[in-house]
Amino acid sequence: MKNKIKRNHEIKLRLSDDELDDLNNAVLKTGLSREAYLRLIIQKIVPAEKPYPDLKETIDQLRRIGNNLNQIAVVAHKTGSIDVMKYKKNFDELQKQIQYVLRVNDEYRKEEVNI
């Protein structure tokens, strides 16, 4: 069981409207609370931005394609031959998914800037 940190000290901080907006925008990008965000900053840890929503599904798809390619490579090594059509199909799908990840990531980051 984790030891609960006892936090019984409170600080008051005054910010300008712009500073508060900047803080809130930075916090929003991470998905953390303001308190958790500031605690990380105090520890000299820059919180990472939360990934775009479809990332888990996309990573799962890439893993499946990678596993397919690995299985094809194992069979090719054992038999000395390769199913070129099956390999090409999986390779093309992998390339398509990589391009999709890059495109979605770029679109998601552009939306984040416009907050």
Side-chain angles (χ1 to χ4, degrees):
M1 184 169 88
K2 280 188 174 181
N3 292 336
K4 216 44 169 160
I5 296 176
K6 190 173 183 180
R7 293 190 170 102
N8 52 5
H9 300 283
E10 185 177 329
I11 62 169
K12 186 173 184 176
L13 176 66
R14 294 183 186 272
L15 299 173
S16 70
D17 289 342
D18 288 342
E19 290 169 331
L20 182 60
D21 287 344
D22 289 346
L23 174 62
N24 287 336
N25 286 334
V27 169
L28 184 64
K29 290 178 184 179
T30 66
L32 300 171
S33 68
R34 269 195 293 204
E35 293 80 4
Y37 181 87
L38 291 172
R39 284 187 194 108
L40 289 173
I41 295 295
I42 289 168
Q43 297 173 32
K44 297 181 174 75
I45 298 171
V46 178
E49 293 183 11
K50 62 184 172 185
Y52 62 88
D54 297 336
L55 183 61
K56 183 182 181 322
E57 179 185 336
T58 303
I59 288 172
D60 289 345
Q61 289 175 354
L62 292 173
R63 283 188 180 134
R64 283 192 292 274
I65 294 167
N67 286 339
N68 288 345
L69 291 171
N70 189 47
Q71 290 170 2
I72 293 168
V74 167
V75 170
H77 179 71
K78 287 180 180 176
T79 64
S81 67
I82 187 168
D83 184 342
V84 175
M85 294 304 291
K86 193 173 185 180
Y87 184 85
K88 180 162 177 29
K89 178 184 172 197
N90 279 280
F91 179 80
D92 291 344
E93 182 63 25
L94 179 61
Q95 294 302 315
K96 188 169 96 177
Q97 290 296 325
I98 289 171
Q99 292 305 313
Y100 172 76
V101 169
L102 294 174
R103 187 177 68 253
V104 169
N105 187 55
D106 286 345
E107 290 171 7
Y108 182 72
R109 295 298 176 225
K110 285 177 188 172
E111 289 173 11
E112 288 289 314
V113 170
N114 294 327
I115 291 176

